[in-house]
Amino acid sequence: MPSGGRGCAVTRSPQRLERPLGAINWVQRAGARGCTWVEGVRRGHGAHANQSRGSELPSPSVSQEPRRTRRPIAKPLRSLPAVMVGLKPPEVPPTAAVKFFSAGTAACIADLCTFPLDTAKVRLQIQGEVRIPRSTNTVEYRGVLGTLSTMVRTEGPRSLYSGLVAGLQRQMSFASIRIGLYDSVKQLYTPKGAESTGLLVRLLAGCTTGAVAVTCAQPTDVVKVRFQALGALPESNRRYSSTVDAYRTIAREEGVRGLWRGTLPNIARNAIINCGELVTYDLIKDALLRAQLMADNIPCHFVAAFGAGFCATVVASPVDVVKTRYMNASPGQYRNVPSCLLALLLQDGIAGLYKGFVPSFLRLGSWNVVMFISYEQLQRVVMLARSAPP
């Protein structure tokens, strides 16, 4: 076939030389006049032929440069998009009703996951006040794992979830108010025209929702604590057969005021917990988002919830110990909350105020992580379901 150059033809060699990857295509650049192109080799007349033959059949004494091979061109790396762990924040802010429902449901999920730790905490806090007979010896609880293993061995696995029904009732009424209404009350206390919410406003909102929640849900908390401490007594001294029976028995024997027993220390405890829990979570999350260290997703919620759980445990543990002992006491054992605190200090000293700190932190820290992550995701699920077309 004639090629682009004058008098040049393209033929194929019967003995084809192997051509390395990327060698010049034999159909390219027809040579000078009187030359012939062979696949991969240029053949011509005279000097051109000598040069081409030399290149076709090289002498072993002449060193040749290695043929260059075509290397694949590296494509530029594309920047990976930011990964959103969990659902994206909704464009429309959740309503108060959505927050109310999400908070109660998330708290129940957290209780289901961490209730054994809460039971172990109660047993350690009342230890020394209630003696636990086991044959002729006294059973002592030592540490979180020791308490859990002792309860399973002496009372069975179901004892870890003793009082769960009352606990779930408590969370649906208590957490819904304490957590679900926090943002609404915070906005209510925020002055008009303020660019951001100050620390004092957050603390007032936390104390308000905590006090209102305790006032409404105190009977469920009393029954829950009584059931959690029930296994520490001999079967002959156990006063309640079920949750409903506990409400009836307490109201009949101690009056309606018995259902609100320990309300004042519980208000103090939950006001402190709200400030150490909700306000701390709010501040940590806001700081992480402002500094753009994290996106508004599950890792950010995990970090903020873990810090909130630790702060809440440190500030609320003394009040929690007094509240647990006072609510679990039999009628007439303590005249009031100060007498319960005095008896505790005389018996156990300052260290008694932090009895059960490790299970308290394990329970409150893990509870906060599960609850806040569930709370944030539930709000987004409900808002997505509401905004979805029918």
Side-chain angles (χ1 to χ4, degrees):
M1 293 177 59
S3 69
R6 288 182 295 178
C8 293
V10 179
T11 61
R12 292 179 179 267
S13 173
Q15 296 181 352
R16 180 176 176 179
L17 299 176
E18 294 185 359
R19 183 179 56 198
L21 180 64
I24 301 175
N25 195 353
W26 60 275
V27 299
Q28 293 177 349
R29 297 185 305 175
R33 184 183 306 171
C35 63
T36 303
W37 281 94
V38 181
E39 181 179 357
V41 180
R42 179 186 178 188
R43 292 181 179 177
H45 305 285
H48 296 288
N50 293 335
Q51 293 176 1
S52 63
R53 291 180 187 276
S55 61
E56 177 185 3
L57 300 174
S59 173
S61 61
V62 179
S63 61
Q64 283 188 325
E65 295 183 359
R67 296 183 178 181
R68 295 182 181 179
T69 58
R70 180 182 299 172
R71 296 180 181 178
I73 301 175
K75 297 182 179 180
L77 295 177
R78 296 180 180 179
S79 58
L80 296 176
V83 179
M84 173 62 69
V85 182
L87 298 175
K88 295 181 180 180
E91 297 180 358
V92 180
T95 62
V98 171
K99 293 179 180 179
F100 189 88
F101 167 78
S102 301
T105 306
C108 289
I109 295 174
D111 250 26
L112 287 172
C113 297
T114 63
F115 202 81
L117 293 174
D118 190 37
T119 304
K121 177 204 72 173
V122 171
R123 294 294 180 90
L124 287 172
Q125 287 177 340
I126 65 175
Q127 185 168 250
E129 179 189 45
V130 178
R131 297 188 178 276
I132 309 168
R134 184 191 176 195
S135 301
T136 57
N137 300 324
T138 300
V139 177
E140 292 185 358
Y141 297 130
R142 296 182 179 179
V144 182
L145 297 179
T147 302
L148 295 176
S149 61
T150 301
M151 291 176 61
V152 172
R153 185 175 65 252
T154 59
E155 305 169 37
R158 295 183 61 182
S159 63
L160 299 177
Y161 284 90
S162 180
L164 177 63
V165 176
L168 297 180
Q169 294 172 353
R170 172 180 178 267
Q171 294 299 347
M172 283 303 298
S173 56
F174 178 70
S176 298
I177 299 173
R178 181 176 71 93
I179 300 170
L181 299 182
Y182 169 75
D183 288 332
S184 300
V185 175
K186 183 176 66 174
Q187 294 175 2
L188 181 65
Y189 287 161
T190 303
K192 293 183 179 180
E195 296 181 357
S196 60
T197 305
L199 177 60
L200 181 60
V201 171
R202 299 174 197 254
L203 293 175
L204 288 175
C207 292
T208 302
T209 56
V212 174
V214 169
T215 304
C216 297
Q218 181 65 11
T220 60
D221 202 12
V222 172
V223 173
K224 179 183 78 75
V225 171
R226 297 276 180 100
F227 261 95
Q228 286 177 322
L230 203 61
L233 300 171
E235 292 187 4
S236 58
N237 294 340
R238 296 182 181 181
R239 295 174 283 179
Y240 318 117
S241 59
S242 64
T243 305
V244 177
D245 180 62
Y247 286 115
R248 292 176 179 174
T249 304
I250 294 173
R252 183 176 64 250
E253 295 180 357
E254 305 176 34
V256 178
R257 294 181 59 183
L259 293 173
W260 272 267
R261 187 182 185 88
T263 302
L264 291 180
N266 212 10
I267 288 177
R269 171 186 178 269
N270 280 281
I272 295 173
I273 283 185
N274 260 22
C275 295
E277 187 179 272
L278 284 175
V279 177
T280 304
Y281 176 84
D282 199 13
L283 290 173
I284 294 176
K285 178 184 173 183
D286 189 48
L288 291 174
L289 295 179
R290 284 179 179 272
Q292 297 182 353
L293 297 176
M294 289 184 173
D296 190 3
N297 52 18
I298 291 179
C300 175
H301 305 156
F302 177 87
V303 173
F306 189 82
F310 180 78
C311 293
T313 307
V314 170
V315 299
S317 186
V319 184
D320 192 27
V321 173
V322 175
K323 180 219 64 163
T324 301
R325 287 206 173 189
Y326 188 74
M327 290 171 61
N328 185 59
S330 57
Q333 184 173 355
Y334 302 117
R335 289 179 299 174
N336 47 36
V337 176
S339 65
C340 178
L341 174 61
L342 182 61
L344 174 65
L345 292 175
L346 291 176
Q347 181 178 357
D348 300 321
I350 299 296
L353 295 176
Y354 284 91
K355 264 194 170 184
F357 178 83
V358 174
S360 292
F361 171 64
L362 291 177
R363 189 260 172 182
L364 199 55
S366 58
W367 189 91
N368 271 272
V369 169
V370 176
M371 193 281 299
F372 276 114
I373 291 177
S374 302
Y375 175 54
E376 297 279 3
Q377 296 300 308
L378 281 172
Q379 291 182 82
R380 300 174 184 187
V381 169
V382 174
M383 293 305 296
L384 287 175
R386 293 183 61 180
S387 61

